[in-house]
Amino acid sequence: MWYMWGMEQSSRVASREDIAEGLEQAAILVVRHLSDRAALNLTASMVLDTLNREGPVRVTTLAAAAGIGQPSMTELVQRLERQRLVTRVDDPEDGRAALVTITDAGRAPLDDQRRDRRDQLAELLTALPAEDEATLTLAMHVALPIIRRLIDDAQQFRTRTDGDAPISQSRT
């Protein structure tokens, strides 16, 4: 009985390693091979994407979400402000604080990057045999909701361990 339990645990660990490798390889494909080097850097894109999804948030919350220090995030926000991609607005809950919000000009490069990545991926997919593309389509239908949950869980974990409330709760 214990032997079977040990095999089951070993199989789970191997399965988790396979999942981790698959996700890592997908990230490598996107970051190394589908990123536009002339466009926004990864952190700037992540900040704009966070603001686009979550709405106005404090610099401290953005720093926690990005896993960088507040001074570095302040510098990045200032750079994005100079580029007119973000702006600061008064925090309605605390008149001493400001919230960072995305501008329409900030949404444009996000949309462009997303469209370019998807176009590049679509082009890569044309090289696959139809059977592989069908398998990948099925896998994505199953995996995508799980990956989205993992992203949410990772975001909440990061903001909790950095001593800040999760972004989705910071706007209430």
Side-chain angles (χ1 to χ4, degrees):
M1 182 74 156
W2 283 103
Y3 175 74
M4 293 296 284
W5 181 83
M7 285 180 48
E8 188 175 297
Q9 292 303 326
S10 176
S11 177
R12 264 187 101 174
V13 169
S15 176
R16 286 180 182 154
E17 288 174 3
D18 289 344
I19 293 167
E21 181 180 357
L23 291 173
E24 181 182 40
Q25 291 299 309
I28 288 170
L29 173 65
V30 172
V31 173
R32 288 189 187 164
H33 302 289
L34 300 177
S35 293
D36 181 358
R37 303 282 184 230
L40 298 168
N41 69 36
L42 189 59
T43 305
S45 292
M46 187 173 68
V47 166
L48 291 176
D49 185 59
T50 298
L51 293 171
N52 193 47
R53 283 182 294 105
E54 302 293 335
V57 296
R58 291 184 179 196
V59 170
T60 54
T61 304
L62 286 172
I68 63 174
Q70 184 176 348
S72 296
M73 182 55 70
T74 298
E75 276 185 42
L76 175 58
V77 167
Q78 289 170 345
R79 183 168 52 90
L80 295 173
E81 279 183 300
R82 286 191 300 274
Q83 295 172 334
R84 300 191 190 323
L85 303 178
V86 302
T87 188
R88 293 180 199 236
V89 296
D90 291 334
D91 184 341
E93 295 177 13
D94 183 353
R96 301 167 296 163
L99 301 175
V100 180
T101 187
I102 191 169
T103 64
D104 288 340
R107 285 184 187 88
L110 280 181
D111 294 340
D112 291 346
Q113 282 182 334
R114 188 173 290 118
R115 186 176 40 258
D116 289 347
R117 272 194 312 268
R118 289 183 179 174
D119 288 349
Q120 289 175 336
L121 278 168
E123 180 67 27
L124 286 173
L125 291 172
T126 63
L128 291 178
E131 180 180 293
D132 287 351
E133 188 173 344
T135 301
L136 196 52
T137 299
L138 178 60
M140 287 298 104
H141 282 291
V142 174
L144 194 55
I146 297 166
I147 291 170
R148 286 182 177 138
R149 276 199 326 262
L150 286 172
I151 291 168
D152 289 343
D153 291 349
Q155 181 64 48
Q156 289 180 13
F157 177 78
R158 174 168 277 178
T159 54
R160 274 196 314 269
T161 58
D162 287 339
D164 215 341
I167 289 177
S168 59
Q169 293 177 6
S170 68
R171 295 178 40 208
T172 58

